């Protein structure tokens, strides 16, 4: 097994213990619910978008260390960014988690999110890391139906 | 372990002592393997069990020496395959003390058995406004088939509450039984909590009102002797793969008079007596419920697994596992911040637990790195998780081939989980 320290890096554990932007948002312009059926994790994402800019982003819910840290760090990465910038960032993040081990992910472009690169060595945990991002996509599309990781 | 059974054990008959844990372990090839470079501690037996070499060899022997379809050929291979398949049925009947092997229907597993009863007996006997009594601790496989039936018929599902310890609220059960109750469908042992339900009392309370009872034995049959006549139920279902047999084979036992009246489940070959476009007639029970070519090697493997268990003795297994459960409970309770979910006095060897501020999924990943295989998640019991207001648990489930070293490995791995998070 690959070293657990690759998965549970200090930055990830820090965000798990003290999640950033974890609160409800009464004046959100859109929300979405995400659900990981494998482990029962549920997340609600709140977005406040103004003129194409993510002015505020937050989440609530209960999840494992990876999904909680991923949600926390996603909100930090996206606050103040445009909605248009979110999609390519998710694609980079997703590629990092699903690419073969011998393929170097674009860690520079991912910036702090690169700490999740160890997750790809644990395929069953990839969905934990991507759940907040899938939920974000639903919120952007302003869908009402809950998304799942299936 | 103090049992003094003198029955010979499966493949290594007549060896003393009666319960030789090390020798039993050596009968299971997969237990000799490693996981992540460490010896495997397999503690997910409630999900599926490992298979003894005798079962693996029996399936291989069927495919290498007498593979043929059953009930149709006049040639020797087919006759041999038919004899082995039907012999397995007789072994199952004896194993659960069924009055006749005609009452043993081979299915894919406990799930299919419940669906079969719902789709046949249920459609004939349950009508709009009728009530089906389940419990809060049921596996999804003993909830959803009844919901499908209720949707088709307009029947109503009533749910027996459970206590915080994970025991059925028997007074609530008594209240739920009414003139509209048409069926009680209940698990014998909870897969998520380990609770052993007092099914004989439950059956007798239903029988006093003439209500049929289905018992889901998927989690009980690997751990204790089962006597369907003593239980007094009408239907008893279980899966082979949790009983050290192959996947894809399971059993529905039902009283003969019920099976005779029930319509067929699926149509096809083998389940018919005559077929014409004017109409067809059905084969005798149990064949009426076994359309198409069945899982022949699986049934044969199930018969061999039963032989193997018979050599050890189910009472000896229950006693050994209870001792191991007590040890594991004691050791896990010593870990600060760990809480066991399911603390009924009568339990099978299942320990669900949660840890303060650590998600079960993270527990599962970290202990896996130590070579310890446990289950994490909702265990197909979402209503039960809702009862405890949790999303998931980590669950260690023991079998008779586990030992105290496996438990110690789990405890050490859980300590490692705490290290990572502290």
């Amino acid at each position: 097994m690959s070293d657990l320290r690759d998965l549970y890096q200090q930055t990830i554990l820090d965000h798990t213990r003290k999640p950033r932007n974890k609160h409800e948002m009464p004046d959100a312009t859109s929300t979405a619910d995400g659900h990981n059926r494998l482990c029962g994790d549920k997340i609600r994402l709140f977005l406040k978008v103004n003129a194409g800019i993510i002015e505020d982003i937050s989440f609530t819910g209960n999840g494992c260390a990876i999904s909680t840290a991923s949600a926390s760090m996603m909100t930090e990465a996206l606050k103040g960014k445009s909605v248009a910038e979110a999609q390519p960032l998710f694609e980079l993040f997703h590629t990092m988690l699903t690419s073969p081990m011998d393929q170097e992910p674009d860690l520079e472009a991912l910036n702090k999110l690169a700490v999740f690169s160890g997750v790809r060595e644990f395929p069953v945990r990839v969905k934990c890391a991507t759940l907040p991002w899938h939920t974000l996509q639903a919120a952007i599309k302003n869908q009402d139906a809950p998304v799942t990781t299936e | 372990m103090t049992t003094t059974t003198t029955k010979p054990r499966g493949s290594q008959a007549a060896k003393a002592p009666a319960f030789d844990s090390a020798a039993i372990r050596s009968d299971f090839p997969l237990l000799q393997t490693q996981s992540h470079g460490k010896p495997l501690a397999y503690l997910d037996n409630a999900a599926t069990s490992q298979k003894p070499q005798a079962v693996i060899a029996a399936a291989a022997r069927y495919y290498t020496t007498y593979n043929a379809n059953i009930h149709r050929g006049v040639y020797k291979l087919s006759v041999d395959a038919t004899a082995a398949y039907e012999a397995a049925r007789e072994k199952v009947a004896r194993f659960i003390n069924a009055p006749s092997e005609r009452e043993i229907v081979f299915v894919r597993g406990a799930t299919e058995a419940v669906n079969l009863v719902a789709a046949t007996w249920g459609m004939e006997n349950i009508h709009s406004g009728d009530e089906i009594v389940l419990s809060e601790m049921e596996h999804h496989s003993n909830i959803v088939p009844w919901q499908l039936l209720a949707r088709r018929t307009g029947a109503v599902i009533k749910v027996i509450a459970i206590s915080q310890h994970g025991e059925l609220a028997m007074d609530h059960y008594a209240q739920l039984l009414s003139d509209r109750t048409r069926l009680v469908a209940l698990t014998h042992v909870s897969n998520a909590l380990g609770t052993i339900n007092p099914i004989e009392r439950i059956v007798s309370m239903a029988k006093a009102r003439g209500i049929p009872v289905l018992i889901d034995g998927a989690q009980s049959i690997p751990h204790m002797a089962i006597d369907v006549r003593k239980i007094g139920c009408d239907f008893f279902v279980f899966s082979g793969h949790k009983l050290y047999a192959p996947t894809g084979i399971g059993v529905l036992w039902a009283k003969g008079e019920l099976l005779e009246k029930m319509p067929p489940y699926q149509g096809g070959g083998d389940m018919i007596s005559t077929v014409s476009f004017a109409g067809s007639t059905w084969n005798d029970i149990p064949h009426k419920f076994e359309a198409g070519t069945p899982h022949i090697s699986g049934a044969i493997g199930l018969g061999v697994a039963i032989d193997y268990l018979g050599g050890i003795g189910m009472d000896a297994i229950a006693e050994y596992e209870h001792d191991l459960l007590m040890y594991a409970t004691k050791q896990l309770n010593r870990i600060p911040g760990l809480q066991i979910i399911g603390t009924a006095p009568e339990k099978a060897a299942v320990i669900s637990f949660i840890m303060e501020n650590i998600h079960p999924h993270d527990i599962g990943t970290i202990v896996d790195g130590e070579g310890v295989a446990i289950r994490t998640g909702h265990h197909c019991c979402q209503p039960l998780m809702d009862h405890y207001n949790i999303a998931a648990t980590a669950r260690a489930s023991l079998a008779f081939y586990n030992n105290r070293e496996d438990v110690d490995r789990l405890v050490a791995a859980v300590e490692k989980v705490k290290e990572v998070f502290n």
Side-chain angles (χ1 to χ4, degrees):
Chain A
M1 175 177 209
S2 20
D3 200 317
L4 282 166
R5 278 171 298 192
D6 291 344
L7 183 65
Y8 296 105
Q9 300 208 21
Q10 276 312 315
T11 311
I12 289 177
L13 291 174
D14 177 59
H15 278 264
T16 300
R17 293 192 191 103
K18 293 173 290 182
R20 324 296 199 261
N21 303 308
K22 189 177 179 190
H23 53 78
E24 294 188 359
M25 194 192 295
D27 59 344
T29 54
S30 88
T31 65
D33 290 326
H35 187 196
N36 184 339
R37 290 199 178 119
L38 180 66
C39 51
D41 287 357
K42 284 177 181 167
I43 180 176
R44 174 164 289 176
L45 196 78
F46 301 87
L47 271 184
K48 190 157 97 182
V49 176
N50 189 4
I53 301 295
I54 300 171
E55 285 191 344
D56 202 2
I57 173 169
S58 69
F59 74 102
T60 59
N62 276 311
C64 65
I66 305 303
S67 73
T68 303
S70 177
S72 173
M73 294 184 72
M74 179 185 80
T75 61
E76 283 202 319
L78 293 179
K79 203 184 274 194
K81 292 245 168 51
S82 71
V83 171
E85 284 171 292
Q87 185 60 28
L89 193 58
F90 173 50
E91 279 166 19
L92 276 175
F93 187 72
H94 196 263
T95 303
M96 171 179 75
L97 295 177
T98 53
S99 59
M101 289 306 295
D102 55 0
Q103 199 176 310
E104 271 302 307
D106 189 350
L107 297 179
E108 203 175 323
L110 282 159
N111 202 353
K112 286 181 183 169
L113 298 174
V115 296
F116 288 97
S117 63
V119 177
R120 65 177 169 162
E121 296 175 48
F122 299 82
V124 295
R125 303 304 299 274
V126 168
K127 285 176 177 177
C128 308
T130 55
L131 176 65
W133 290 86
H134 284 295
T135 313
L136 169 78
Q137 286 191 310
I140 288 172
K141 287 179 194 156
N142 219 354
Q143 292 173 341
D144 292 328
V147 299
T148 77
T149 54
E150 299 309 302
Chain B
M1 193 60 212
T2 55
T3 179
T4 53
T5 178
T6 53
K7 286 177 184 169
R9 185 176 60 80
S11 58
Q12 295 176 25
K15 265 192 188 174
F19 199 97
D20 185 344
S21 178
I24 284 170
R25 257 178 118 79
S26 70
D27 290 337
F28 291 79
L30 198 133
L31 297 179
Q32 319 309 320
T33 64
Q34 296 208 323
S35 176
H36 300 303
K38 289 163 187 157
L40 173 68
Y42 183 77
L43 300 173
D44 194 17
N45 296 287
T48 197
S49 61
Q50 300 306 335
K51 320 305 175 198
Q53 182 58 40
V55 168
I56 299 166
R61 197 161 49 245
Y62 164 71
Y63 285 121
T64 45
T65 65
Y66 62 102
N67 175 53
N69 214 328
I70 56 169
H71 294 153
R72 291 188 267 285
V74 293
Y75 52 95
K76 183 173 186 309
L77 280 184
S78 177
V79 171
D80 289 350
T82 303
Y85 181 78
E86 292 302 329
R89 198 191 306 276
E90 287 167 27
K91 288 174 187 180
V92 171
R94 281 199 303 274
F95 190 60
I96 62 173
N97 197 28
S100 164
E101 67 275 9
R102 293 171 63 248
E103 300 178 349
I104 304 298
V105 179
F106 282 127
V107 290
R108 281 186 297 157
T111 296
E112 186 172 50
V114 176
N115 278 280
L116 189 160
V117 175
T120 59
W121 182 89
M123 282 303 288
E124 298 260 306
N125 293 283
I126 293 181
H127 309 288
S128 182
D130 288 349
E131 294 171 1
I132 302 165
V133 173
L134 312 176
S135 88
E136 215 172 353
M137 69 171 82
E138 297 311 310
H139 189 281
H140 296 165
S141 59
N142 198 30
I143 299 174
V144 183
W146 306 116
Q147 288 177 326
L148 292 171
L149 177 66
R151 196 176 292 178
R152 287 188 195 118
T153 60
V156 178
I157 289 171
K158 299 281 180 180
V159 183
I160 310 168
I162 62 168
S163 73
Q164 207 55 20
H165 287 293
E167 290 180 285
L168 289 177
M170 292 299 285
D171 48 348
H172 187 228
Y173 170 57
Q175 286 166 22
L176 287 182
L177 293 176
S178 79
D179 294 342
R180 298 308 306 263
T181 310
R182 293 290 173 270
L183 178 73
V184 175
L186 198 74
T187 191
H188 190 177
V189 168
S190 160
N191 71 307
L193 302 172
T195 310
I196 303 173
N197 288 319
I199 51 168
E200 286 180 35
R201 206 173 131 214
I202 284 160
V203 171
S204 71
M205 285 166 72
K207 289 286 150 186
R209 287 171 163 271
I211 301 164
V213 181
L214 178 143
I215 297 296
D216 172 1
Q219 295 293 339
S220 61
I221 201 159
H223 305 297
M224 61 190 75
I226 295 293
D227 182 335
V228 293
R229 283 189 264 190
K230 192 155 163 268
I231 293 168
C233 57
D234 300 272
F235 305 97
F236 188 94
V237 307
F238 66 93
S239 297
H241 72 96
K242 295 187 204 287
L243 191 68
Y244 315 101
T247 55
I249 189 76
V251 170
L252 162 67
W253 170 79
K255 285 181 176 163
E257 68 256 33
L258 292 173
L259 287 175
E260 295 282 7
K261 285 185 206 149
M262 282 155 59
Y265 177 45
Q266 295 178 329
D270 220 32
M271 54 76 66
I272 45 80
S273 176
T274 60
V275 175
S276 76
F277 284 108
S280 302
T281 58
W282 316 136
N283 202 340
D284 295 333
I285 65 166
H287 310 291
K288 182 170 82 174
F289 299 100
E290 294 180 6
T293 298
H295 187 3
I296 302 167
S297 69
I300 292 167
L302 176 58
V304 171
I306 286 171
D307 288 342
Y308 177 82
L309 292 167
I312 302 166
M314 293 310 295
D315 290 338
I317 286 172
E319 193 180 338
Y320 175 83
E321 289 182 353
H322 183 74
D323 179 70
L324 198 56
L325 172 69
M326 292 296 109
Y327 177 73
T329 304
K330 192 176 91 189
Q331 297 305 100
L332 286 168
N333 270 332
R334 282 184 180 161
I335 300 172
L338 185 149
Q339 185 197 342
I340 292 177
I341 304 288
T343 48
E346 294 293 323
K347 270 183 72 170
V350 171
I351 306 177
S352 258
F353 61 93
I354 54 175
M355 292 173 76
E356 212 175 347
N357 298 324
I358 306 174
H359 191 280
H361 217 156
D362 297 309
I363 300 172
T365 294
I366 296 169
V367 304
D368 175 53
E370 301 300 303
V372 179
I374 61 168
R375 178 74 174 269
T376 59
H378 52 59
H379 316 295
C380 298
C381 292
Q382 288 180 17
L384 183 68
M385 297 294 116
D386 291 344
H387 170 86
Y388 285 102
N389 198 24
I390 51 181
T393 72
R395 180 191 70 186
S397 50
L398 311 167
F400 64 95
Y401 47 57
N402 290 123
N403 55 26
R404 291 191 175 205
E405 194 188 332
D406 291 331
V407 173
D408 294 342
R409 300 260 318 278
L410 170 67
V411 170
V414 170
E415 295 287 0
K416 173 108 192 248
V417 173
K418 294 188 71 173
E419 267 171 48
V420 170
F421 279 87
N422 287 330

